[in-house]
Amino acid sequence: MVEQTTVLQQTEAQPKSPAGAASSSLRHESAHLHVAGDARYVDDVPLPQGAVHVALGLSSRAHARITHMGLDAVRAYPGVVCVLTAQDIPGHNQVSPVGAGDEPLLAEDTVFFCGQPLFAVVAQTRHAARHAAVLAQVEYEDLPAILNIEQARAQGSPLVCRSLEMTRGDAPHALAQAPHRLAGQLAVGGQEHFYLEGQAALAWPGEDGEIRICSSTQHPTETQHMVAHILGRPNNLVTVEVRRMGGGFGGKETQANIAACLAALAAERTGKPAKLRMDRDDDMLVTGKRHDFVIDYDVGFNAQGHVLGVDMQLAARCGWSADLSGPVTDRAMFHADNAYYYPDVRLRSIPLRTNTQSNTAFRGFGGPQGAAAAERIMEEIAFATGLDPLDVRLRNVYGTTDRNVTPYHMTVEDSIAGEIMTQLAADCDYRKRREQIRVFNRTSPHLRRGIALTPVKFGISFTATHFNQAGALVHVYTDGSVQVNHGGTEMGQGLHTKMVQIAMREFGLSKERVRITATTTGKVPNTSATAASSGADLNGMAVLAAVRTIKDRLVAFAADKWHVAPEQIRFTADGVVVGAEVIPFATLVNAAYMARISLSSTGFYKTPKISWDGATGRGRPFYYFAYGAACAEVLVDLLTGENRIERVDILHDAGQSLNPDIDIGQIEGGFVQGAGWLTMEELFWDTAGRLRTHAPSTYKIPACSDRPRIFNVKLLENAPNREETIFRSKAVGEPPFVHGLAVLHAISDALASLNDYRTCPGLNAPATPEQILRVAERLRQQGGETNAQVHA
Amino acid sequence: MRHHISFYVGDTLHHLSDLPPELTLLDWLRDQQGRTGTKEGCNEGDCGACTVLVGRLEQGQLVWRAVNACIHLMWMLDGAQLLTVEDIRGPDGALHPVQQAMVDEHGSQCGFCTPGFVMSMVALSTRANLAELEGTLDGERVINEALAGNLCRCTGYAPIVRAMKKAALYCARNGEPIGARTAEITARLRQLHDGQTVELTSREGRVTLPASANALATAYAADPAAVLVAGGTDVGLWVTKRLRRLPHIIAVRSAQDLHQCGLRPDGALWIGAAVTYSEAMPLLVAHLPAAEDTLRRIGSTQVRNAATVCGNIGNASPIGDGPPIFMAAGAELHLRCAQERRVVPLEDFFLDYGKQDIRPGEFIEGVLVPPLAQGSVCGVYKVSKRFDQDISAVMGAFVLRMGADGTIQDARLAYGGMAGIPRRASGAEAAMRGQPATQATLYAAQAAVKEDFTPLSDMRASAWYRTTVAANLLARLFEPLMPGSPPAAQTLQNWQEVAHG
């Protein structure tokens, strides 16, 4: 069997030269565990003796005063240990990640959304806890509920956080002077993360008030702070550990705190280890999702399709509390230009408070919604001018020496979106296929094809400048084996694999000699969330710094011991070259130990060059941009609105990739997730504010057959990052998500055939079969009017 | 009478007697056996993270079926060989070819769905010789179908499909390791089969596993309050989501004589109450070729491996996909209470939402599907938000009996998703009957179908969408009948084939 399976193995790059190791396609460090069921997630950790289980009791009203919380039946259920309410919280009943003070962990006297946690049942089994939780008799006095953007605007609902405005030039003047002007509205839906592993945490009480938590969190430090805050203890008593998550996508950046805090509270109250793993339905009812937006745009342009001025208002459903809605709606504005230059521009965010789940981070963090508006504008101009949408896009793409300042006054120094689009269009034969599709559509009554090519330009860095820091801790043991630890978390994106590769490359070691360990606040403190695509950029540099500190010590030691110049010492796969000699790494390390050289080091990194002033809407929030383009071809059934993706070609910029296979995996996966968001994934609340799509039976993420039938993904070659990132790579987590927009626009292109391509279909997202059929009916009936009104 | 169940997990034989009726296989594996490789993703049979393999003898042959452990009740394992992700490595610890291919092709990212995918892929590699289908549309279809019940949020599926193809090629050359153990496992499963009725009792309740239809009839007549469970893909959710207690369960699939499935001399297809969709599939597809695409989209492979055809009828869901198909085909339901039997046309069985023509203690023995009349035109269309493993927004199953002169002599137009029960569109049928298949007839039928139903608006679709699509599906049915039309309606699945003749 061993012999047989080697036939299967690809030649995994095991380069002799360590220089290759960091850019080779090493397999995921846990792949062999994943496939065997041996990779442990929170719920797989063997439970300590006497462990208790926690289940949630949820609000059934969208907005109401609690007049009576009848918990006797819950307490009386066999196996129940205790029931915890807001009164049981010894510290502060607040988990707002931005300190807004608007997010109690457990409801106090008022509930603000349907699904809000009211109480937590602690029982001897998970089964008992779940069965007991549904026995509560809660009485409410309903209050007026605001459920969506339309209601919030109509009723003047307060904002959940401050609005941001970005202006450059004089947009009203430019619009007034423009030869052509269009105004319209785009609605883009939200999205459930649907990480396959639901929210989970396991807490162990220790001595003297210590508490250790195994959490499925993207942000161990924040989870640590929240638990300390809830329990009223200093941070140094709380340790949060994460080996891996079964997916995160932003949904475990702040939302993981709920499970961790309640498990910690249960552990604190009972003195026993306590676990909370949410049932999928509870998870979807309780936690926030991607923000849905309604974006009003007003654009001035000329007959050649050049944008002259843009005025845009981006209204978002934020849910009941601020959570991360401020930075999310900010980022929608940072990407409301996508890859295009707006000569005069005014953008404004409207973050609306609603009585729904508190929307939160989700891959792209508002950016994809903003980019969707930019692409709609390009599409509108194309239909208004009769130009190919690709030509409109190319005419408006950022320049390299001029037309290169963003609405937030940052100069785009490395604009390559235009080149990528041009290259992709040639590679995938866009123009010829577009003509063929038009011919096909003329004679096909019910099935129509469509094609679109869209770019992405994605700003890399946390817009909150202080988050752009990272730490690492590297230990070399006397047998020459290495342990790497850093502040980032592994959620499937391959971050740990890349970190191992950096240590392998620097020390000249094989992967067997480098061990990555669970992320823990006890090893690397004060970390940032693994988010904003920044995991490898930040932590990679921190790991590199730690490794180089140790290498510098080893070099100094070896130079002294063997009397060679430091420049003559190199770490290679064959061992450490010291002058004419090659010394095994372990030998060198052991000798250094005997000479009392420290073999352990921290590493630290902070991103240079960046700054951002939200008050003025100016700065350089991003260290650099990641680019790419996608071309999608779809087939639409006009009898039912059903559709499928026939072919997708993507050319994406990952700089000098740290691991091409992992990066391609991020692009393929990000694309499908983005396409799902814009097509089949639909969140549906009823008129009482109850989320009716709270399980995979009703909320449909793409399945296997939804992937493009032909799917070509390429990394841009010979494109090292112009900035000094880790080995000149570029972040790759979020940018490919935006490629899903090509699908929305391809569907729109197919629909436009109904009107002989005369009017912009104005297709909103998600483009479900129903939405598509509605637009088809409108195009057929109205015969030429568009969603946008021409102002003259 | 036996008072325990017996089954193998890996190479260990288990006997269990004290078993809560609602205990799921997943909870037993994870909480009691420490087998945490099998994951809980949704607890309702939709994500596939808990997929395991159940081996059983079907007509004497060992067949491996992937099922969702989260909604598989523990007692269902009687007489089975279970394999979880922990059991498929070689004796020397070497990875199964599917596992190795998943590693090599970067088929796992977060890894949480991976064990479930691995098990679905192993199931496929034990049955289909994909190597022969390599590069064909059929090969893609077979893989899509096998993996439709496994959700992955990270990879976008492309590397998983690549891994499946690679593993299939490998297995074609070198053999599939689980398949290599067929003789040994077949022999030990034979020994478990004693033909006895099983009665399990515990503090929480009891489970009866009758060995025959007679035993089932007796047990159910004695306790009509008991809950009949066949595949459990519906009842499983009562347990995991509605937290219902089921103090007395009577199993259906333990009755050996209810497993009959085959053609009668008159050409009608009999499907016994214990027959799963997967078992019936080859015969059903041959019997109703137009329904093939829809039949393959009922639930997922895991669901069809557990769910029975008759259970899909018996639970009377307004959105079940089987009933409209069988109704359009003119199926009749065979009911039995104790020794008393009666036959009901399927459309008369569904009375109103949640209300069927069935008496206490009465159960479905089987469904009889007559052959389509010569020259019938048949169209079956499932419309849902997602192509695979979704519940229909609208489901239409149509059979037209055509006269020699091209007129429609009879029309049976059955819909799901349009009312509280699966129902025929009597107005639209009347508009077609005796008419030629022309545009005018189509318009009349489309107008009539909008009057036939007042559907609901919900998270799947609005009433407007349902009504519009119900009418549009008639256009799809008529498309090949119109003069100068291609021989088949173009659909998203076949458009290239139709276009290129």
Side-chain angles (χ1 to χ4, degrees):
Chain A
M1 192 65 199
V2 172
E3 257 184 4
Q4 289 175 344
T5 50
T6 53
V7 179
L8 262 177
Q9 285 173 3
Q10 283 185 325
T11 42
E12 183 174 325
Q14 293 280 15
K16 277 287 168 196
S17 145
S23 61
S24 76
S25 290
L26 192 72
R27 291 168 200 142
H28 196 287
E29 42 81 22
S30 290
H32 62 293
L33 303 174
H34 294 155
V35 299
D38 291 338
R40 268 190 194 167
Y41 303 81
V42 171
D43 196 37
D44 303 334
V45 175
L47 285 184
Q49 190 94 46
V52 292
H53 297 258
V54 185
L56 301 175
L58 307 181
S59 158
S60 59
R61 304 297 172 89
H63 191 199
R65 232 182 308 281
I66 301 170
T67 54
H68 177 69
M69 188 117 89
L71 299 173
D72 292 347
V74 184
R75 290 195 181 92
Y77 192 86
V80 169
V81 176
C82 59
V83 181
L84 305 172
T85 64
Q87 285 80 47
D88 293 293
I89 293 172
H92 309 277
N93 184 23
Q94 261 306 321
V95 289
S96 169
V98 291
D102 62 353
E103 194 173 337
L105 176 66
L106 291 173
E108 291 173 352
D109 53 354
T110 307
V111 293
F112 297 98
F113 75 104
C114 189
Q116 184 173 356
L118 303 175
F119 60 90
V121 189
V122 185
Q124 283 156 357
T125 65
R126 184 167 174 271
H127 195 256
R130 286 187 70 209
H131 279 254
V134 297
L135 300 177
Q137 299 288 326
V138 184
E139 288 162 26
Y140 303 92
E141 183 188 313
D142 282 321
L143 298 167
I146 291 171
L147 301 175
N148 54 40
I149 293 172
E150 195 185 359
Q151 289 174 6
R153 285 176 119 173
Q155 296 175 36
S157 172
L159 300 184
V160 77
C161 58
R162 54 102 192 88
S163 162
L164 178 67
E165 187 157 313
M166 290 179 185
T167 57
R168 210 194 58 248
D170 185 348
H173 180 74
L175 285 165
Q177 299 295 312
H180 300 281
R181 187 172 172 183
L182 280 163
Q185 189 179 74
L186 168 72
V188 280
Q191 186 177 28
E192 160 64 33
H193 302 83
F194 209 83
Y195 26 68
L196 262 286
E197 177 210 24
Q199 304 279 355
L202 172 57
W204 287 264
E207 54 189 42
D208 260 349
E210 281 185 342
I211 192 151
R212 184 164 86 86
I213 297 164
C214 257
S215 167
S216 186
T217 175
Q218 287 175 244
H219 199 344
T221 289
E222 186 179 279
T223 301
Q224 173 198 25
H225 294 172
M226 288 301 167
V227 168
H229 194 64
I230 287 286
L231 298 183
R233 292 179 187 172
N235 291 340
N236 68 355
L237 287 179
V238 182
T239 303
V240 174
E241 184 182 311
V242 188
R243 174 56 186 90
R244 63 175 63 79
M245 281 165 274
F249 314 111
K252 294 173 181 171
E253 184 172 343
T254 63
Q255 306 297 290
N257 296 332
I258 301 167
C261 287
L262 288 170
L265 181 66
E268 193 268 347
R269 291 282 108 167
T270 61
K272 293 170 193 262
K275 179 159 82 175
L276 171 52
R277 173 174 65 75
M278 291 189 203
D279 184 70
R280 176 62 60 178
D281 295 62
D282 285 357
D283 189 320
M284 291 178 74
L285 288 168
V286 169
T287 63
K289 295 142 204 341
R290 181 185 295 283
H291 292 65
D292 50 325
F293 275 72
V294 171
I295 300 170
D296 291 288
Y297 52 87
D298 192 350
V299 56
F301 54 99
N302 62 24
Q304 290 75 45
H306 290 111
V307 171
L308 301 173
V310 171
D311 192 0
M312 210 188 276
Q313 294 192 46
L314 302 96
R317 167 157 52 183
C318 297
W320 69 289
S321 70
D323 188 73
L324 299 173
S325 291
V328 166
T329 49
D330 289 357
R331 197 175 263 274
M333 307 228 297
F334 284 119
H335 292 84
D337 57 348
N338 195 10
Y340 310 113
Y341 175 64
Y342 298 157
D344 289 270
V345 54
R346 181 171 68 184
L347 309 172
R348 192 163 70 87
S349 67
I350 311 173
L352 295 160
R353 194 185 292 274
T354 52
N355 295 110
T356 50
Q357 290 77 0
S358 188
N359 286 335
T360 189
F362 194 145
R363 200 177 198 169
F365 206 69
Q369 294 94 316
E375 294 307 328
R376 166 64 78 78
I377 286 175
M378 294 301 129
E379 192 188 38
E380 288 269 26
I381 294 173
F383 282 103
T385 56
L387 294 164
D388 181 334
L390 176 60
D391 289 322
V392 176
R393 291 181 166 111
L394 286 169
R395 283 174 198 186
N396 286 291
V397 80
Y398 275 107
T400 47
T401 53
D402 64 338
R403 298 170 54 83
N404 62 350
V405 183
T406 65
Y408 42 95
H409 300 263
M410 174 174 169
T411 301
V412 183
E413 295 169 352
D414 59 351
S415 177
I416 50 170
E419 293 162 42
I420 292 177
M421 289 163 77
T422 304
Q423 188 185 328
L424 179 66
D427 289 352
C428 76
D429 228 1
Y430 165 84
R431 292 186 194 271
K432 188 173 153 205
R433 283 163 62 205
R434 185 164 182 267
E435 288 316 307
Q436 288 169 343
I437 286 168
R438 294 196 163 205
V439 171
F440 171 89
N441 286 345
R442 266 180 230 135
T443 56
S444 179
H446 302 316
L447 295 183
R448 298 290 168 92
R449 292 158 70 195
I451 190 168
L453 193 157
T454 57
V456 58
K457 163 183 134 286
F458 203 89
I460 304 299
S461 292
F462 285 98
T463 52
T465 304
H466 68 277
F467 285 142
N468 297 288
Q469 58 172 311
L473 179 63
V474 174
H475 302 319
V476 178
Y477 295 95
T478 53
D479 63 352
S481 65
V482 173
Q483 214 175 66
V484 175
N485 198 278
H486 60 94
T489 55
E490 175 63 39
M491 58 193 109
Q493 82 279 43
L495 175 60
H496 281 357
T497 312
K498 289 179 173 178
M499 299 302 102
V500 166
Q501 285 180 281
I502 290 165
M504 284 165 62
R505 164 172 164 157
E506 287 292 312
F507 284 131
L509 295 174
S510 67
K511 65 177 179 182
E512 291 74 24
R513 306 298 287 166
V514 180
R515 181 87 194 152
I516 193 102
T517 57
T519 311
T520 164
T521 55
K523 276 193 177 179
V524 178
N526 309 325
T527 55
S528 298
T530 307
S533 306
S534 69
D537 277 13
L538 298 177
N539 296 291
M541 289 300 255
V543 167
L544 185 67
V547 168
R548 290 210 168 147
T549 300
I550 298 170
K551 277 175 74 177
D552 288 349
R553 291 182 199 142
L554 290 172
V555 167
F557 163 71
D560 186 46
K561 182 176 167 77
W562 283 286
H563 309 292
V564 297
E567 305 79 60
Q568 288 179 285
I569 299 171
R570 284 181 299 118
F571 291 74
T572 75
D574 299 318
V576 184
V577 177
V578 181
E581 271 191 89
V582 179
I583 299 168
F585 183 74
T587 308
L588 172 64
V589 160
N590 201 43
Y593 166 77
M594 296 305 288
R596 295 184 292 171
I597 305 294
S598 167
L599 296 172
S600 170
S601 177
T602 58
F604 184 78
Y605 175 72
K606 58 180 176 180
T607 311
K609 295 188 178 179
I610 51 174
S611 67
W612 169 246
D613 181 358
T616 59
R618 285 168 181 252
R620 175 181 177 157
F622 305 120
Y623 188 27
Y624 64 91
F625 295 99
Y627 295 92
C631 180
E633 181 182 331
V634 301
L635 187 65
V636 176
D637 182 342
L638 294 179
L639 289 178
T640 61
E642 295 167 293
N643 57 86
R644 63 186 293 164
I645 306 171
E646 292 286 301
R647 174 174 169 181
V648 169
D649 296 81
I650 293 174
L651 182 59
H652 194 86
D653 162 33
Q656 179 69 47
S657 170
L658 288 173
N659 184 320
D661 280 5
I662 281 179
D663 286 354
I664 284 175
Q666 287 296 298
I667 297 164
E668 288 174 335
F671 168 81
V672 169
Q673 201 175 64
W677 165 53
L678 293 165
T679 56
M680 69 192 71
E681 294 185 39
E682 185 173 35
L683 293 162
F684 182 93
W685 286 265
D686 65 18
T687 51
R690 290 174 297 198
L691 178 67
R692 303 308 297 264
T693 47
H694 52 74
S697 49
T698 44
Y699 185 80
K700 311 313 279 189
I701 70 167
C704 188
S705 61
D706 297 309
R707 74 189 190 286
R709 291 179 67 177
I710 301 170
F711 197 8
N712 303 313
V713 176
K714 283 194 188 129
L715 296 178
L716 188 67
E717 288 175 1
N718 304 317
N721 197 334
R722 294 178 201 199
E723 299 295 344
E724 286 182 44
T725 52
I726 181 73
F727 303 140
R728 302 281 175 173
S729 62
K730 281 192 177 182
V732 75
E734 293 164 296
F737 183 89
V738 181
H739 290 318
L741 283 169
V743 175
L744 183 70
H745 286 269
I747 294 172
S748 178
D749 184 54
L751 285 169
S753 69
L754 278 168
N755 246 334
D756 202 21
Y757 302 93
R758 284 196 307 271
T759 53
C760 181
L763 179 65
N764 286 328
T768 57
E770 173 155 356
Q771 167 74 357
I772 289 169
L773 202 60
R774 280 188 191 276
V775 172
E777 291 282 307
R778 171 161 52 75
L779 288 173
R780 280 194 185 111
Q781 284 170 13
Q782 296 181 350
E785 279 175 45
T786 92
N787 170 30
Q789 281 126 42
V790 178
H791 287 289
Chain B
M1 178 90 68
R2 184 150 48 87
H3 292 283
H4 63 269
I5 57 167
S6 301
F7 57 94
Y8 284 90
V9 181
D11 288 326
T12 307
L13 177 61
H14 291 257
H15 302 289
L16 289 183
S17 52
D18 184 13
L19 204 60
E22 311 99 0
L23 180 66
T24 64
L25 171 54
L26 181 63
D27 282 350
W28 182 78
L29 285 171
R30 293 183 58 84
D31 298 345
Q32 298 186 27
Q33 299 295 302
R35 284 183 173 245
T36 53
T38 308
K39 308 300 181 194
E40 181 184 314
C42 70
N43 214 12
E44 62 172 13
D46 262 284
C47 79
C50 65
T51 303
V52 295
L53 287 194
V54 174
R56 285 184 187 278
L57 303 181
E58 295 178 11
Q59 271 104 45
Q61 301 289 310
L62 176 63
V63 180
W64 296 103
R65 302 278 188 191
V67 301
N68 292 308
C70 68
I71 51 171
H72 209 72
L73 300 178
M74 197 55 210
W75 51 260
M76 292 177 176
L77 280 191
D78 189 38
Q81 166 72 57
L82 179 73
L83 295 179
T84 70
V85 71
E86 288 89 349
D87 300 313
I88 58 164
R89 271 193 282 202
D92 56 356
L95 295 178
H96 186 280
V98 160
Q99 293 174 308
Q100 187 63 50
M102 283 287 276
V103 171
D104 293 343
E105 292 295 325
H106 298 266
S108 70
Q109 285 185 21
C110 84
F112 197 83
C113 70
T114 311
F117 268 98
V118 164
M119 298 312 280
S120 284
M121 293 162 78
V122 170
L124 181 60
S125 63
T126 63
R127 31 197 313 118
N129 189 354
L130 279 174
E132 283 175 9
L133 300 173
E134 172 67 18
T136 68
L137 279 177
D138 253 12
E140 292 283 318
R141 203 205 62 190
V142 168
I143 293 174
N144 285 343
E145 192 182 322
L147 301 183
N150 290 86
L151 297 178
C152 170
R153 193 54 151 165
C154 297
T155 65
Y157 305 97
I160 297 173
V161 173
R162 289 195 283 269
M164 185 67 239
K165 290 176 178 172
K166 191 169 187 175
L169 276 176
Y170 175 83
C171 289
R173 276 203 301 266
N174 303 289
E176 192 284 315
I178 307 290
R181 300 186 60 197
T182 299
E184 168 203 353
I185 292 171
T186 303
R188 72 189 188 197
L189 287 185
R190 283 217 176 96
Q191 289 188 339
L192 291 184
H193 289 182
D194 57 6
Q196 289 195 52
T197 289
V198 178
E199 185 80 23
L200 301 173
T201 48
S202 68
R203 200 159 42 91
E204 292 85 356
R206 64 191 173 110
V207 184
T208 308
L209 290 89
S212 64
N214 280 338
L216 193 161
T218 307
Y220 199 28
D223 183 8
V227 173
L228 285 189
V229 180
T233 53
D234 203 24
V235 174
L237 275 74
W238 301 2
V239 170
T240 62
K241 296 298 175 182
R242 289 190 232 158
L243 306 179
R244 266 184 64 177
R245 281 278 153 85
L246 305 172
H248 186 196
I249 288 174
I250 299 175
V252 174
R253 299 205 65 224
S254 56
Q256 288 309 307
D257 44 350
L258 292 179
H259 282 261
Q260 285 167 8
C261 183
L263 289 180
R264 295 200 166 175
D266 63 355
L269 177 63
W270 170 259
I271 303 168
V275 179
T276 64
Y277 265 110
S278 292
E279 290 164 341
M281 190 68 77
L283 285 167
L284 264 177
V285 166
H287 202 65
L288 300 168
E292 175 169 4
D293 282 350
T294 297
L295 288 167
R296 293 187 184 284
R297 289 167 61 198
I298 291 178
S300 62
T301 295
Q302 290 95 317
V303 168
R304 292 191 302 276
N305 282 344
T308 59
V309 173
C310 291
N312 190 208
I313 295 168
N315 76 5
S317 163
I319 41 185
D321 289 332
I325 297 174
F326 302 125
M327 206 182 275
E332 54 189 32
L333 213 49
H334 289 236
L335 300 170
R336 174 174 177 184
C337 184
Q339 299 310 315
E340 202 179 311
R341 290 183 164 95
R342 65 190 177 109
V343 177
V344 178
L346 187 55
E347 59 253 45
D348 297 341
F349 177 68
F350 306 107
L351 301 175
D352 204 347
Y353 181 72
K355 204 169 159 220
Q356 293 85 255
D357 177 14
I358 196 157
R359 300 169 215 161
E362 195 173 42
F363 64 99
I364 300 169
E365 270 199 309
V367 62
L368 191 67
V369 189
L372 292 181
Q374 202 78 44
S376 290
V377 171
C378 185
V380 178
Y381 312 108
K382 168 172 176 154
V383 181
S384 50
K385 225 179 261 182
R386 183 173 71 193
F387 184 75
D388 271 321
Q389 212 211 165
D390 196 358
I391 289 165
S392 301
V394 183
M395 158 80 205
F398 313 130
V399 175
L400 305 182
R401 191 154 54 79
M402 307 300 292
D405 59 350
T407 58
I408 300 165
Q409 294 196 322
D410 192 21
R412 298 177 65 87
L413 311 174
Y415 283 93
M418 296 296 292
I421 51 172
R423 233 185 63 194
R424 286 173 64 181
S426 50
E429 289 179 355
M432 288 187 187
R433 215 166 277 138
Q435 301 298 317
T438 59
Q439 201 73 47
T441 304
L442 172 62
Y443 288 157
Q446 287 183 313
V449 82
K450 292 183 179 186
E451 301 300 318
D452 278 329
F453 297 105
T454 332
L456 283 179
S457 288
D458 66 7
M459 63 277 183
R460 292 198 177 89
S462 69
W464 172 84
Y465 180 77
R466 290 188 155 111
T467 306
T468 305
V469 169
N472 286 355
L473 291 181
L474 296 177
R476 174 141 293 154
L477 176 71
F478 264 53
E479 200 180 329
L481 302 178
M482 304 291 194
S485 297
Q490 279 197 354
T491 66
L492 293 181
Q493 284 69 55
N494 71 0
W495 68 283
Q496 280 166 314
E497 293 146 49
V498 171
H500 301 140

